[in-house]
Amino acid sequence: RGRWNDREVAVKELITAVSIDEQDRVANFLSFQKEVAMMSLLDHPNVIKLYGIMLRPFRMVLEFAPCGDLYHY
């Protein structure tokens, strides 16, 4: 959770722990990259918006959902 351009946003960070092996780090990065690519194409009022990404560390800046996710609804 954070603030960006005077908006409350959600921040999703790619975990790059030293304790995981290289193969898992690559798989995690590719999954993160795929999620960013897919979310950048979506534009619908019922889908969380991707506002941007950060490169160091890898993070997605997303629209904040104040009522939580669908798993906990």
Side-chain angles (χ1 to χ4, degrees), residues 2-21:
R3 293 204 67 78
W4 178 74
N5 287 345
D6 294 326
R7 291 182 190 185
E8 191 168 19
V9 295
V11 179
K12 184 174 183 179
E13 184 172 338
L14 174 65
I15 303 299
T16 55
V18 177
S19 61
I20 62 175
D21 66 14

Side-chain angles (χ1 to χ4, degrees), residues 10-16 20 23-41 50-62:
V11 179
K12 184 174 183 179
E13 184 172 338
L14 174 65
I15 303 299
T16 55
I20 62 175
Q23 186 176 2
D24 286 342
R25 273 197 297 271
V26 170
N28 289 347
F29 175 75
L30 292 174
S31 176
F32 180 86
Q33 188 178 36
K34 183 177 178 180
E35 184 175 358
V36 167
M38 183 173 39
M39 290 198 66
S40 69
L41 299 174
L50 173 67
Y51 292 134
I53 61 168
M54 298 171 58
L55 299 177
R56 288 199 176 104
F58 289 111
R59 293 180 177 159
M60 283 186 260
V61 180
L62 306 159

Side-chain angles (χ1 to χ4, degrees), residues 8-10 48 62-70:
E8 191 168 19
V9 295
I48 295 292
L62 306 159
E63 178 181 13
F64 181 71
C67 295
D69 60 42
L70 290 176

